[in-house]
C-alpha cells in the first residue's frame, strides 16, 4: 500500500473522503475516485480499494488505497515491456564494449543432460544471441568427478575472455553433498547466477562482490522501469529463501525502503 503513495488525495487534500460532511454511500464515493484514478494514468496497473471508516469525533468516511494489480499486469504483458527495454539497453552496452575491443562472453557448465538444464541452456543461448553475447559451453558427463568439475571451473576463472558463468544446478546426485563447496570455487565476479557465498555476501553488505540472484534483480528492474522509487516506502516480502526472499529484502533496503 505504501508503495503507491498510500492514499488517493481527497479534494487534493490527503487521506479520507468527506470526513467533515454527511456520510455518503461507499459505492458512490468509490465511483468518483475511480475517475480520479483514471486521470492519474499510473504506469503500473493498480486497483482501487476502499473500506468504511469511523474516526473518534469525526463523521463516517471512506479510506482508499492504491494496490498493484498483478493479474492485469500479467494479462497486458507488462513484463514483456520491461524485457524489451532491457534488451535494447543491453544491445547498446554490448555494442559499446565491442567498439572498445571487448567481446562479452558467457560460459555455461553443464553436467549430464537433465531436461530442465537443457531448457535453461536453450533460453540462455537465445537471450545471449539476441543481445550479442558469445556463449562457450563446457559439457561434462553426468558421472563427472569432483576433481574434473573443479578443474573446469578453474579453467573458466583463469580465462580472461570469459566474463560470466552459469553452472547448472543441482549437480549430479553423487556431487550434491558437496555442491556448495564446489560452486564456491567460481570467482564471484563471474558468478552471474549468485550461487557462491561471496556473491550472496555482496548482496547483503552492499559491496560489489558479484551479481544478485536473477529473480530479485528482475523485481528491482520492474520497479525501476515503471519509476517506482522504494525510498521511504514500506515493502512486504513474502518468503525468506536465499534465492528470492532474503536478497530482494536486502536490495529494497539498499534503496532505502
Amino acid at each position: 500500500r505504501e508503495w503507491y503513495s498510500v492514499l488517493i488525495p481527497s479534494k487534493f487534500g490527503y487521506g479520507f473522503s468527506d470526513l467533515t460532511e454527511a456520510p455518503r454511500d461507499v459505492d458512490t464515493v468509490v465511483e468518483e475516485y475511480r475517475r480520479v484514478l483514471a486521470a492519474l494514468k499510473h504506469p503500473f496497473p493498480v486497483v482501487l480499494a476502499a473500506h468504511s471508516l469511523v474516526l473518534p469525533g469525526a463523521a463516517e468516511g471512506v479510506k482508499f488505497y492504491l494496490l498493484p494489480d498483478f493479474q492485469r499486469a500479467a494479462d497486458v504483458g507488462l513484463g514483456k515491456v520491461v524485457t524489451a527495454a532491457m534488451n535494447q539497453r543491453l544491445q547498446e552496452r554490448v555494442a559499446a564494449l565491442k567498439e572498445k575491443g571487448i567481446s562479452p562472453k558467457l560460459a555455461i557448465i553443464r553436467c549430464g543432460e537433465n531436461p530442465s538444464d537443457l531448457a535453461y541452456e536453450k533460453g540462455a543461448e537465445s537471450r545471449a544471441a539476441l543481445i550479442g553475447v558469445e556463449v562457450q559451453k563446457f559439457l561434462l558427463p553426468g558421472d563427472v568427478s569432483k576433481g574434473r568439475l573443479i578443474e573446469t571451473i578453474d579453467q573458466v576463472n583463469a580465462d580472461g575472455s570469459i566474463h560470466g558463468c552459469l553452472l547448472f544446478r543441482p549437480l549430479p546426485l553423487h556431487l550434491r553433498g558437496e555442491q556448495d563447496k564446489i560452486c564456491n570455487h567460481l570467482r564471484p565476479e563471474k558468478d552471474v547466477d549468485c550461487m557462491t557465498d561471496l556473491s550472496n555476501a555482496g548482496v547483503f553488505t552492499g559491496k560489489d562482490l558479484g551479481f544478485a540472484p536473477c529473480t530479485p534483480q528482475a523485481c528491482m528492474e520492474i520497479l525501476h522501469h515503471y519509476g517506482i522509487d522504494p525510498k521511504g516506502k514500506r515493502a512486504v516480502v513474502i518468503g525468506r529463501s536465499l534465492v528470492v526472499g532474503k536478497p530482494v529484502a536486502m536490495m529494497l533496503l539498499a534503496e532505502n525502503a
Side-chain angles (χ1 to χ4, degrees), residues 117-169:
D117 289 347
L118 293 172
Y120 191 17
E121 181 180 304
K122 182 178 179 181
E125 286 186 283
S126 175
R127 182 71 184 279
L130 179 64
I131 62 175
V133 170
E134 182 183 351
V135 174
Q136 182 175 348
K137 296 194 286 187
F138 297 81
L139 307 181
L140 303 172
D143 61 354
V144 62
S145 67
K146 172 185 172 182
R148 184 178 175 193
L149 177 52
I150 290 175
E151 286 176 5
T152 303
I153 295 172
D154 289 341
Q155 181 181 345
V156 169
N157 285 336
D159 190 337
S161 71
I162 294 176
H163 304 94
C165 177
L166 285 175
L167 170 57
F168 291 155
R169 296 166 298 163

Side-chain angles (χ1 to χ4, degrees), residues 106-107 163-166 186-195 199 211-214:
L106 173 71
H163 304 94
C165 177
L166 285 175
L186 183 64
R187 287 168 52 182
E189 61 267 28
K190 296 192 178 187
D191 176 21
V192 297
D193 217 13
C194 194
M195 62 183 176
S199 292
F211 296 85
C214 58

Side-chain angles (χ1 to χ4, degrees), residues 45-81:
V46 289
V47 61
L48 180 63
H51 66 79
S52 297
L53 176 76
V54 178
L55 290 181
E60 180 178 342
V62 183
K63 189 173 184 178
F64 293 90
Y65 302 97
L66 277 175
L67 304 176
D69 188 346
F70 292 112
Q71 182 58 55
R72 190 154 62 95
D75 290 344
V76 299
L78 289 189
K80 294 180 180 179
V81 174

Side-chain angles (χ1 to χ4, degrees), residues 11-27:
K11 295 182 179 178
F12 300 100
Y14 195 45
F16 307 108
S17 168
D18 303 324
L19 283 179
T20 58
E21 300 173 10
R24 291 191 292 161
D25 177 68
V26 170
D27 290 339

